[in-house]
Amino acid sequence: KKRAACFVMRDKCQYLKGDDSIPEDCKVGHSFTVWGDKFTITKEKLPHMDSNRFTLSSGGQSFDCDCFDHGDWYCSDPTFPRTTLDCKKEPSSIGIHQPTNKIKPIVV
């Protein structure tokens, strides 16, 4: 599930830099659900566009999604950081992203 969460970050949060406009899906405090588990961004480190790190928390455990540009946008495997995730080989359902902080409409 950690890998799936990093796939979401890879798809939603690419080439970000410090004070630039950061999408809501990539900000600290944003939560999303993958395979029934809630993940929350607890830290972000965006030193330059070619290197983005997000710390995610789920079920009391934290882990990093280190993403970077090397001819394409990659993320390290959070379960084995010396390797990169291969998003093209993983099932398409792994990256299902369901925000948990949806705004509910008010019926008048």
Side-chain angles (χ1 to χ4, degrees):
K1 291 184 182 184
K2 291 178 181 180
R3 288 178 178 149
C6 282
F7 281 123
V8 171
M9 298 307 296
R10 179 203 173 272
D11 290 343
K12 299 284 183 177
C13 307
Q14 296 185 7
Y15 303 104
L16 303 175
K17 184 173 185 309
D19 296 332
D20 291 349
S21 179
I22 308 298
E24 289 298 319
D25 287 352
C26 307
K27 291 183 178 180
V28 170
H30 176 75
S31 295
F32 57 94
T33 302
V34 176
W35 287 356
D37 286 353
K38 179 181 174 182
F39 293 87
T40 301
I41 301 171
T42 57
K43 293 180 189 174
E44 63 184 30
K45 186 174 181 182
L46 312 171
H48 49 83
M49 290 178 65
D50 292 342
S51 177
N52 297 171
R53 172 182 283 181
F54 299 92
T55 301
L56 303 180
S57 178
S58 180
Q61 295 183 354
S62 294
F63 60 95
D64 291 329
C65 291
D66 292 314
C67 301
F68 55 92
D69 181 18
H70 189 70
D72 198 358
W73 195 249
Y74 296 96
C75 293
S76 296
D77 185 333
T79 63
F80 192 70
R82 293 181 180 182
T83 62
T84 57
L85 296 172
D86 187 348
C87 298
K88 294 175 185 172
K89 289 186 178 180
E90 295 294 331
S92 60
S93 63
I94 201 166
I96 293 173
H97 177 233
Q98 303 164 352
T100 57
N101 55 351
K102 293 180 183 175
I103 299 173
K104 296 183 180 182
I106 298 174
V107 179
V108 182

